[in-house]
Amino acid sequence: MATITAALVKELRERTGAGMMDCKAALTETDGDIEAAVDWLRKKGLSKAAKKSGRVAAEGLVAATVGESAGVVVEVNSETDFVARNEDFQKLVRTIADVALQTGAEDAEALAAAAYPGGGTVAEAITSGIATIGENLTLRRAANLSVEGAVSRYVHTQISDGLGKIAVIVALESKGDKEVLSTLARQIAMHVASANPLALDASGLDPATVEREKALLAEKNAGKPANVLEKIIESGLKTYYKEVLLLDQVSNHPEHNSKTIAQTLKEHEGKAGAPITIKGFVRYALGEGIEKETSDFAAEVAAAAKG
């Protein structure tokens, strides 16, 4: 039995455009023979989907759904924003989010392998969706939070319940009043959607990000004495943290009276009847980080006319 390496899966995926789980299955069935695996995928009827899988998918929907003490966010991409209004696509994305909540899948790979209602896996349901809808669809990412307390969601520019362009979940750890916690978590989720913090606190920031900020401060103040420069950098970092760290940010929710998120948590402890901490938050904005293709529409029309 041949060893199916990640590199082999990647090569097959690049050649065929088929989904990762389908590529793994094909290589397993053909004992790692990549040419035979290509044929296997074609015989399984995945070639139609594979042809579309090479296209850039940067549109689609993000979804957030929550249970009693857990929440998930997923992003499923399509090629055009028209698909986001397609009821079949919306049902697919909503069902994938429900599967993520039920299974506790921690990433897209685990979610893709999870069972999909009605038979098959999530990956197979997406492949079927490609053939039905006629565009490349990809399960880009997924995350979940669970906590002893409450998890709430907020979806910005919502197209349908729990589906939109920006989705946020916030988990509050506390033994306090559930209703108070749920309301507060939703208010903080609304803030996160707008303010887009990089991390909860300084410990969650990428060290490279901090070093880059230090370098910028040093460059701006080049020539100053070392002891003065040290204080400037320290002060500058504090200002930076107020901009990018959730606990240090001033809440933009009107009910929080311009207090920081940390102060808001402390204020609500009396209402909840117990200490409150933010266990985590996740914010997905549709298509962020994907390099979208640009096209010349007039040239496309002209090319089509010649064809």
Side-chain angles (χ1 to χ4, degrees):
M1 177 70 71
T3 300
I4 310 303
T5 64
L8 201 58
V9 173
K10 182 174 182 289
E11 182 181 350
L12 180 59
R13 192 176 186 186
E14 288 174 350
R15 284 186 57 176
T16 65
M20 180 178 63
M21 300 306 295
D22 292 322
C23 288
K24 282 185 178 180
L27 288 164
T28 300
E29 289 293 325
T30 57
D31 199 26
D33 185 327
I34 198 161
E35 297 299 335
V38 171
D39 291 340
W40 187 92
L41 287 168
R42 293 181 64 190
K43 289 173 185 176
K44 288 292 182 180
L46 298 172
S47 57
K48 181 179 179 182
K51 287 177 183 177
K52 295 181 173 64
S53 295
R55 304 176 189 168
V56 174
E59 301 294 341
L61 289 168
V62 288
T65 187
V66 296
E68 186 174 338
S69 57
V72 300
V73 283
V74 302
E75 179 177 357
V76 182
N77 296 126
S78 61
E79 293 177 56
T80 68
D81 60 355
F82 298 109
V83 171
R85 300 177 182 87
N86 181 300
E87 290 186 4
D88 289 337
F89 180 67
Q90 291 179 9
K91 181 180 178 182
L92 174 66
V93 177
R94 187 177 288 110
T95 304
I96 290 172
D98 289 341
V99 170
L101 184 64
Q102 292 162 12
T103 62
E106 295 186 354
D107 54 36
E109 184 173 356
L111 181 54
Y116 190 84
T121 64
V122 167
E124 289 168 344
I126 291 172
T127 299
S128 177
I130 293 172
T132 302
I133 294 170
E135 282 195 13
N136 183 25
L137 309 176
T138 59
L139 171 59
R140 184 185 181 201
R141 50 184 175 167
N144 73 65
L145 294 172
S146 58
V147 69
E148 182 183 351
V151 181
S152 289
R153 70 178 181 181
Y154 173 70
V155 178
H156 190 61
T157 55
Q158 186 166 265
I159 290 176
S160 183
D161 184 42
L163 306 174
K165 300 290 187 181
I166 297 175
V168 179
I169 54 172
V170 171
L172 297 183
E173 190 168 57
S174 177
K175 295 182 179 180
D177 183 278
K178 291 278 189 180
E179 187 174 342
V180 171
L181 295 174
S182 294
T183 300
L184 177 59
R186 176 172 169 76
Q187 291 171 345
I188 294 174
M190 293 173 72
H191 166 86
V192 169
S194 172
N196 192 19
L198 298 182
L200 179 63
D201 54 31
S203 67
L205 276 178
D206 183 343
T209 300
V210 178
E211 289 305 313
R212 186 163 59 250
E213 189 64 23
K214 286 181 177 179
L216 286 171
L217 290 166
E219 186 177 340
K220 286 180 182 178
N221 296 278
K224 290 186 169 59
N227 62 325
V228 174
L229 184 59
E230 184 178 348
K231 290 180 180 178
I232 290 174
I233 291 174
E234 183 180 345
S235 175
L237 280 179
K238 286 180 180 178
T239 301
Y240 177 66
Y241 289 158
K242 289 177 182 178
E243 296 172 356
V244 302
L245 300 181
L246 178 56
L247 289 175
D248 290 348
Q249 287 178 335
V250 174
S251 176
N252 55 29
H253 195 281
E255 292 185 20
H256 297 168
N257 300 316
S258 300
K259 291 182 172 64
T260 66
I261 296 297
Q263 290 169 336
T264 299
L265 290 174
K266 191 57 85 171
E267 185 179 74
H268 279 73
E269 289 180 349
K271 300 176 184 177
I276 307 172
T277 57
I278 299 178
K279 184 175 181 182
F281 71 92
V282 181
R283 179 189 187 274
Y284 281 178
L286 179 66
E288 60 188 348
I290 299 176
E291 186 174 343
K292 300 183 181 181
E293 291 181 331
T294 57
S295 61
D296 185 334
F297 183 69
E300 288 180 7
V301 171
K306 289 179 181 178

